[in-house]
Amino acid sequence: MMATPTHPIHFVGAGPGDPELITVRGQRLLAEADLVVYAGSLVPRALVDGLAAAVHDSAGLHLGEIIELMAAAWQQGQRVVRLHTGDPSIYGAIKEQMAALDSRKIPYQVVPGVSSATATAAALQAELTLPEVSQTVIITRRAGRTPVPEGQDLVSLAGHQATMLILLSVGMIGEVVADLQSGGYPAETPVAVVEKVSWPEQRILRGTLSSIAAQVEEAGINKTAIIAVGRVFAELPPAALSRLYDKEFSHGCRQA
Ligand SMILES: C[S@@+](CC[C@H](N)C(=O)[O-])C[C@H]1O[C@@H](n2cnc3c(N)ncnc32)[C@H](O)[C@@H]1O
């Protein structure tokens, strides 16, 4: 009888699209894997092409089938990677997979990835947390087929006037804009929409809350995009400097 395997199944963040944006650990685990189950709707084929592993696209599978596939391989002592887009912790539906593995007493580990949210900031050459502008980042979505809990609707969240990165919602751009405006964002608030960030076909639209819906419609963008909202996305020098590099400011690593 085969001994119960002890090595974990790895949930790995693939990054936002560019195959170079996976972590070194994630890349090593892919190279060592016997089975890779990847989210084919957003993970680029380039990351799984040429691997020694058997490769399955999870796009057409339901939860039970995904778990069965991974559990059967793991039981045979195979090294299994579940490859998720961006960072697995953000809209990755990993909790239900982890719970199913828990119930089978199969160990697992998570390897983080570059989220499309932070890749969007990079593409926009933006800092999400500017002194005296925003010290808070909200990653959220508009309610669609998946509802959002009470108090987390865009109208309520807009009241914070924080930096917002809105996923899974570009197909409702008109409603997003209406919610943000009724929550208190002024019409001239900078907004960018980044489609397929880090892919060769990446597109960036920059505008304001009053212009962005028409820009998105004209560009025909209706999925795989992030709506970035807030004054940190203004293409102007910051109003206040960070204290970290202020020559008058002492901290643990430097005396003024
Ligand atoms: C199911 S969520 C997965 C998010 C992913 N876990 C992450 O950290 O990027 C899918 C949504 O993420 C955003 N997204 C994922 N990849 C993207 C990309 N390359 N460019 C722009 N948005 C992306 C879109 O809003 C898309 O609707």
Side-chain angles (χ1 to χ4, degrees):
M1 199 179 103
M2 186 187 288
T4 306
T6 52
H7 58 268
I9 289 179
H10 284 99
F11 291 91
V12 174
D18 182 339
E20 290 197 343
L21 290 179
I22 191 169
T23 62
V24 173
R25 183 180 299 173
Q27 196 172 43
R28 174 178 60 75
L29 290 167
L30 282 180
E32 293 171 356
D34 300 299
L35 172 68
V36 175
V37 183
Y38 77 109
S41 51
L42 281 174
V43 172
R45 257 320 287 193
L47 270 177
V48 293
D49 277 345
L51 293 177
V55 171
H56 286 262
D57 183 352
S58 63
L61 304 179
H62 60 65
L63 176 63
E65 291 169 330
I66 294 168
I67 299 299
E68 200 45 57
L69 190 60
M70 298 198 297
W74 180 83
Q75 283 293 357
Q76 290 166 19
Q78 294 185 17
R79 303 202 170 264
V80 179
V81 169
R82 175 75 173 111
L83 190 61
H84 277 270
T85 177
D87 183 90
S89 71
I90 299 176
Y91 301 117
I94 54 167
K95 190 70 185 170
E96 63 212 48
Q97 298 175 64
M98 295 193 289
L101 295 178
D102 283 340
S103 70
R104 292 171 182 241
K105 301 204 175 350
I106 297 178
Y108 51 83
Q109 285 176 2
V110 182
V111 179
V114 175
S115 174
S116 58
T118 48
T120 287
L124 294 171
Q125 301 184 330
E127 179 174 346
L128 301 176
T129 51
L130 282 181
E132 296 179 29
V133 177
S134 174
Q135 291 290 287
T136 304
V137 182
I138 297 174
I139 296 177
T140 190
R141 67 179 300 168
R142 189 174 191 274
R145 283 202 301 171
T146 305
V148 300
E150 203 183 330
Q152 294 179 27
D153 56 285
L154 288 185
V155 179
S156 307
L157 295 177
H160 297 286
Q161 303 282 298
T163 305
M164 290 180 83
L165 296 168
I166 306 173
L167 279 65
L168 293 157
S169 307
V170 77
M172 300 178 271
I173 187 73
E175 293 90 335
V176 168
V177 166
D179 285 353
L180 294 176
Q181 285 195 310
S182 74
Y185 275 104
E188 64 277 11
T189 303
V191 182
V193 167
V194 183
E195 181 191 35
K196 297 205 92 176
V197 67
S198 85
W199 290 71
E201 60 269 40
Q202 168 184 297
R203 284 196 288 177
I204 295 179
L205 306 177
R206 287 183 186 268
T208 62
L209 214 43
S210 58
S211 70
I212 200 73
Q215 292 173 265
V216 165
E217 197 167 318
E218 194 188 332
I221 296 175
N222 53 26
K223 61 175 185 169
T224 320
I226 291 195
I227 308 164
V229 182
R231 287 191 295 135
V232 299
F233 299 111
E235 292 182 284
L236 297 168
L241 300 182
S242 124
R243 303 196 71 185
L244 185 60
Y245 297 112
D246 181 346
K247 66 176 192 276
E248 311 296 338
F249 188 67
S250 297
H251 55 69
C253 300
R254 179 170 50 79
Q255 202 56 43

